[in-house]
């Protein structure tokens, strides 16, 4: 499982732009060959689904083939939680779905395919963070814009259950060079600059703290 994770993460680690280049397998069989996936099972022995690997690799064709199939993918599969205890070496928190991974790593096309196939936008991890917050943490501006266009009434100021951090709090606290992310959250999403976390932190105080 970890060898497959390393192989699929490669495009993300060596990227030179905001988003890594899309991969496009010739067929589902060729994608399985890349993964050394020799069965017809949905998950490997590590409990990771083949869809998650396709999303992680930013492989648009593999994702399309897995989602479409003969009758479409079942919603319980597309929304299933993975990694009960997380994977520290890959910075993957506990209880995330394919949509979380897509909002961080994948292209707009993959995010769109997942949402159109029944991925739950309101799904949350063990800390109450949703996929939109994940994209804000990583500064995935195009995925943020797609999300807001599909969900114009999205509650952008909702905070996590852990500490009440909103997407804006998370964006300015984790990493630098988030101007375009903040602009998208505020100008397109209407994020409130005055919303406070459970501990009383504002977006401004989070931004200062991250310097």
């Amino acid at each position: 499982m970890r060898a497959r994770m390393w192989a699929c993460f490669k495009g993300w680690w060596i990227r030179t732009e905001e988003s890594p280049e899309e991969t496009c397998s010739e067929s589902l069989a060729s994608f399985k060959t890349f993964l050394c996936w020799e069965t017809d099972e949905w998950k490997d022995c590590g409990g990771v689904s083949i869809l998650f690997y396709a999303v992680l690799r930013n492989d648009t064709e593999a994702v399309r083939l897995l989602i479409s199939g003969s009758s479409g993918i079942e919603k319980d599969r597309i929304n299933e939680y993975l990694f009960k205890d997380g994977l520290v070496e890959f910075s993957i928190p506990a209880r995330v779905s394919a949509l979380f991974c897509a909002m961080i790593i994948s292209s707009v096309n993959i995010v769109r395919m997942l949402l159109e196939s029944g991925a739950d936008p309101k799904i949350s991890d063990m800390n109450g963070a949703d996929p939109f917050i994940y994209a804000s943490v990583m500064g995935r501006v195009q995925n943020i814009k797609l999300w807001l266009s599909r969900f114009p009434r999205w509650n952008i100021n909702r905070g996590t259950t852990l500490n009440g951090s909103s997407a804006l709090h998370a964006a300015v606290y984790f990493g630098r060079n988030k101007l375009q992310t903040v602009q998208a959250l505020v100008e397109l999403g209407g994020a409130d600059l005055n919303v406070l976390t459970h501990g009383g932190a504002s977006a401004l105080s989070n931004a200062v703290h991250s310097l």
Side-chain angles (χ1 to χ4, degrees), residues 192-209:
D192 188 346
L193 297 173
N194 298 311
V195 169
L196 303 179
T197 66
H198 295 162
S202 66
L204 178 59
S205 63
N206 270 16
V208 172
H209 193 271

Side-chain angles (χ1 to χ4, degrees), residues 92-163:
I92 296 178
R95 296 181 74 248
V96 295
S97 69
L99 184 57
F100 284 94
C101 178
M103 285 294 282
I104 294 174
I105 290 176
S106 301
S107 68
V108 168
N109 292 326
I110 289 179
V111 173
R112 183 183 293 109
M113 281 192 284
L114 291 176
L115 290 172
E116 290 177 349
S117 298
D120 183 3
K122 295 184 179 180
I123 197 169
S124 60
D125 68 8
M126 64 180 297
N127 296 318
D130 54 47
F132 183 78
I133 290 178
Y134 273 51
S136 301
V137 168
M138 300 304 295
R140 297 304 312 281
V141 178
Q142 296 307 313
N143 287 348
I144 289 172
K145 290 180 177 180
L146 169 68
W147 192 280
L148 293 175
S149 69
R150 289 186 64 89
F151 309 110
R153 296 185 179 181
W154 184 257
N155 181 10
I156 199 168
N157 296 313
R158 69 168 295 274
T160 65
T161 54
L162 177 66
N163 57 19

Side-chain angles (χ1 to χ4, degrees), residues 28-63:
L28 189 55
S30 66
F31 179 60
K32 286 185 174 182
T33 298
F34 168 79
L35 292 178
C36 297
W37 196 283
E38 299 176 349
T39 73
D40 292 326
E41 298 296 323
W42 181 251
K43 294 182 181 179
D44 61 13
C45 60
V48 183
S49 70
I50 190 170
L51 175 63
F52 191 89
Y53 286 121
V55 170
L56 187 61
R57 194 179 182 224
N58 200 19
D59 194 324
T60 53
E61 184 62 9
V63 170

